[in-house]
Amino acid sequence: MLSQFNQFLLNFSLLITSLLFAFLPLRHTERISADSPIRTRLVVGLIAGLIGGLLVLNSITYDGAKIDLRLVALVTAYYYGGWVSGGITMTAIIGARFLVTPPGVYEGLILATLICLALLVTASIYRRFAAQTFKDYLVLLGVGIGYSLPALYLLTDTFMRFLEMAFVYIIFNLFGGYVTYRFLQELRKHFQFVQTQQELALTDGLTNLANRRRLDETLAHYDQHGYAFSVLIVDIDFFKSVNDTYGHDGGDVVLRQLSHLLQHCSPDEALVGRYGGEEFVVLLPDMPLKEAVRLGETIRLACADQHFVFSTYPAFHVTLSIGAASSDQGETSFEVVQKADQSLYQAKQTGRNKVVGYSEE
């Protein structure tokens, strides 16, 4: 009995280690279910199939029976990816079972195939009436164990040996299933936490726009790949007077409302960010300078018409000065931003509340 427990522990360690590394490619995927895109379900099936195959190849042979944790991999595939993932995993497990089956001794292979098919059909029916909860995972695991026990009985020599192996099989599959489910749930929480922290590190806390770090990283990416783009640098005119009149809380309200306006006016592919203070940047991939200037004019007019509201003060207006430049006017993105900043300076020096596109003249 002790040797069987030791072998099961090795099988269990292989399961958890494989899960950790194999599911890393799916760490940014939203909640996985039978309604996920077919590509995601295929990947889940391939991963679970690989793990199931490895478990079979490292299974315990006992009186002609192959005892391992393949059932956990199979149920996990059914649970997350439906029949698509389950079918791929089943095929991989049967293929691995065939490889370890001695010639002419196919009883175990036939029984394993029948168990997989029965579980696939049962799981497909059960999923129509169940939610994706831990209880449903345990139900599928229990059904799989129930289907496996008669096969285990047929492949053992005596009833006492069957009871011995059944006890070990049930305990380890329930334990393996529980740990697998909890492990995957905690792994997803960890990945979501890391992703959230990464997003926060690239997001301006006040406006929820891209911060300077993200803008700089995007510009570096443009340089690396040679992407064409235009840039708008947007500055609020006389913002100091806004802070003096309405306080810093009023100034923050203006910054937040302006951030919403910039996002609303900009195309979906644009990256809108706060460069610092009252200065904003809009990166416009594949947009020539003339179109960028027109967009800047649209933003300027929309801002001039908008009523900014703070506390009990009457609604008020603010205006914008905007500088524009494009990637064909500089060798690097840094030079393009500098030229847009020069255009912004020109807009401020010539009366404010205007858009100026960079010109070599």
Side-chain angles (χ1 to χ4, degrees):
M1 175 72 75
L2 183 60
S3 64
Q4 278 80 32
F5 269 99
N6 289 335
Q7 287 177 289
F8 259 119
L9 285 174
L10 291 174
N11 214 238
F12 175 75
S13 300
L14 176 62
L15 170 66
I16 298 302
T17 305
S18 301
L19 283 173
L20 176 60
F21 289 101
F23 275 90
L24 283 176
L26 296 173
R27 62 187 180 276
H28 298 309
T29 307
E30 297 295 330
R31 179 180 173 87
I32 301 173
S33 69
D35 298 322
S36 296
I38 186 66
R39 181 179 177 180
T40 300
R41 288 180 286 157
L42 288 173
V43 172
V44 170
L46 291 171
I47 292 172
L50 174 63
I51 295 173
L54 289 173
L55 292 172
V56 172
L57 294 176
N58 292 274
S59 60
I60 306 165
T61 302
Y62 193 83
D63 286 350
K66 293 287 184 180
I67 310 299
D68 49 60
L69 293 172
R70 79 187 79 167
L71 183 62
V72 174
L74 196 56
V75 168
T76 301
Y78 290 153
Y79 178 82
Y80 285 105
W83 67 269
V84 173
S85 301
I88 295 173
T89 304
M90 179 186 69
T91 303
I93 288 175
I94 293 173
R97 185 65 173 84
F98 176 79
L99 292 176
V100 298
T101 299
V105 186
Y106 297 117
E107 294 86 351
L109 175 62
I110 294 172
L111 289 171
T113 303
L114 292 175
I115 291 169
C116 290
L117 288 172
L119 183 57
L120 176 60
V121 173
T122 304
S124 299
I125 296 173
Y126 181 78
R127 285 184 62 89
R128 296 173 181 266
F129 310 99
Q132 200 175 21
T133 65
F134 179 54
K135 183 196 74 172
D136 300 314
Y137 185 89
L138 285 181
V139 168
L140 293 178
L141 190 61
V143 169
I145 292 173
Y147 287 156
S148 301
L149 289 179
L152 188 62
Y153 175 75
L154 292 174
L155 293 172
T156 51
D157 294 337
T158 67
F159 184 70
M160 289 305 298
R161 285 190 175 183
F162 163 70
L163 290 180
E164 178 183 321
M165 291 308 300
F167 174 75
V168 176
Y169 181 78
I170 292 171
I171 294 299
F172 269 86
N173 271 285
L174 289 176
F175 179 72
Y178 173 78
V179 173
T180 296
Y181 181 87
R182 295 304 308 173
F183 180 78
L184 289 176
Q185 295 296 108
E186 293 303 319
L187 200 62
R188 175 156 296 282
K189 288 180 183 178
H190 172 72
F191 287 148
Q192 288 175 341
F193 175 77
V194 171
Q195 186 174 1
T196 299
Q197 294 304 308
Q198 290 174 339
E199 290 174 355
L200 289 175
L202 299 174
T203 303
D204 177 66
L206 177 65
T207 62
N208 287 326
L209 297 177
N211 61 13
R212 183 160 187 163
R213 176 181 173 184
R214 185 178 176 191
L215 290 167
D216 288 343
E217 287 182 358
T218 303
L219 288 169
H221 182 72
Y222 287 171
D223 276 343
Q224 181 180 358
H225 296 278
Y227 292 154
F229 70 98
S230 288
V231 58
L232 299 176
I233 299 183
V234 181
D235 192 87
I236 302 174
D237 294 329
F238 305 110
F239 186 67
K240 183 178 183 301
S241 66
V242 174
N243 282 329
D244 292 341
T245 304
Y246 305 103
H248 288 287
D249 288 342
D252 289 347
V253 168
V254 171
L255 293 173
R256 283 193 290 265
Q257 291 185 20
L258 178 58
S259 70
H260 294 314
L261 184 147
L262 290 172
Q263 287 180 306
H264 176 73
C265 293
S266 300
D268 293 339
E269 63 273 14
L271 178 63
V272 183
R274 184 183 176 200
Y275 217 50
E278 69 273 21
E279 196 169 83
F280 295 81
V281 169
V282 184
L283 299 181
L284 301 161
D286 295 321
M287 181 177 288
L289 180 60
K290 287 185 179 180
E291 289 186 26
V293 170
R294 282 197 292 267
L295 175 62
E297 187 66 20
T298 299
I299 292 172
R300 184 190 69 81
L301 292 173
C303 181
D305 290 339
Q306 177 157 327
H307 291 79
F308 289 84
V309 179
F310 172 66
S311 187
T312 58
Y313 291 93
F316 58 96
H317 296 274
V318 297
T319 61
L320 303 175
S321 296
I322 302 175
S326 63
S327 54
D328 58 359
Q329 296 176 315
E331 294 184 2
T332 66
S333 60
F334 178 74
E335 290 183 7
V336 176
V337 172
Q338 280 189 318
K339 294 181 186 302
D341 196 50
Q342 292 172 22
S343 299
L344 171 64
Y345 179 78
Q346 183 181 347
K348 286 182 171 294
Q349 291 297 108
T350 55
R352 304 179 187 265
N353 190 23
K354 63 173 59 177
V355 182
V356 174
Y358 182 80
S359 174
E360 300 290 348
E361 298 177 0

